Amino acid sequence: SGFGNRKDPFHGRDSFHGGIDLATAIGTHVLASADGVVSKVENGSRYGKYVSVRHADGSESSYGHLSAQSVRVGQRVRQGQKLGEVGN
């Protein structure tokens, strides 16, 4: 799914999707999009296992629906560093 308005895949209603979903094989490594500091490593009801990274410019990238997380809160990460693995 892309960023923006779409039909919600669970409810069929129009809704705003604030991210992008990329399909690939379960277990594929998920890599940091830019240098930063890990701000969240959680397991929530909406995104399942996820990791968030805060970047020097104040932006934050989040990686959800993971099968495994490989970092901890407060850890500095470099662009391209493994954060976890793709789930479902």
Side-chain angles (χ1 to χ4, degrees), residues 72-84:
R72 66 186 184 289
V73 171
Q75 181 178 340
R76 291 193 177 279
V77 295
R78 304 286 293 173
Q79 181 179 22
Q81 183 173 336
K82 181 181 173 184
L83 303 175

Side-chain angles (χ1 to χ4, degrees), residues 6-22:
R6 68 170 184 174
K7 280 231 183 284
D8 184 290
F10 300 103
H11 305 104
R13 296 183 298 249
D14 288 338
S15 64
F16 181 79
H17 187 236
I20 59 170
D21 294 332
L22 305 172

Side-chain angles (χ1 to χ4, degrees), residues 3 23 27-28 36 39 55 79-80 86:
F3 180 86
T28 299
S39 57
H55 306 289
Q79 181 179 22
V86 171

